[in-house]
């Protein structure tokens, strides 16, 4: 998540590389999903997954894909 924030995260200063930030957040989601599968009751893992998904959705929204972002935000809330 920190790498994505530096590359193009919306809530902090960044270097303006939204495409790379999106890849980093997507990779963070993938990694966190793996941890949650192995440790489904880990609050830390669940929080990391939700945070990664939220940041990815926020970047998608800023990129103009409101429908996809809404679906992604809803997934954060459902889990």
């Amino acid at each position: 998540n920190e790498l994505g924030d530096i590359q193009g995260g919306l809530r902090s200063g960044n270097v303006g590389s939204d495409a790379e930030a999106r890849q980093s957040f997507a990779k963070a989601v993938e990694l966190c999903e793996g941890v949650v599968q192995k440790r489904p009751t880990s609050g830390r893992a669940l929080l990391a997954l939700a945070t990664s998904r939220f940041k990815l959705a926020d970047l998608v929204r800023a990129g103009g894909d409101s429908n996809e972002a809404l679906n992604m935000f809803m997934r954060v809330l459902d889990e």
Side-chain angles (χ1 to χ4, degrees):
N1 280 327
E2 289 179 21
L3 181 58
D5 287 335
I6 292 167
Q7 291 169 323
L10 300 176
R11 309 283 179 207
S12 61
N14 65 66
V15 297
S17 183
D18 293 348
E20 288 180 6
R22 190 171 174 163
Q23 289 176 342
S24 293
F25 289 135
K27 183 65 175 177
V29 167
E30 181 183 325
L31 293 170
C32 290
E33 286 173 340
V35 174
V36 168
Q37 284 180 349
K38 291 179 181 178
R39 298 176 184 212
T41 60
S42 170
R44 184 180 232 178
L46 291 167
L47 178 60
L49 177 58
T51 301
S52 298
R53 285 193 174 144
F54 180 86
K55 289 181 176 188
L56 179 58
D58 207 21
L59 206 55
V60 169
R61 179 199 52 80
D65 193 346
S66 299
N67 289 331
E68 179 64 18
L70 179 59
N71 290 333
M72 295 171 84
F73 283 125
M74 295 303 292
R75 187 165 181 194
V76 171
L77 294 175
D78 287 342
E79 296 179 349

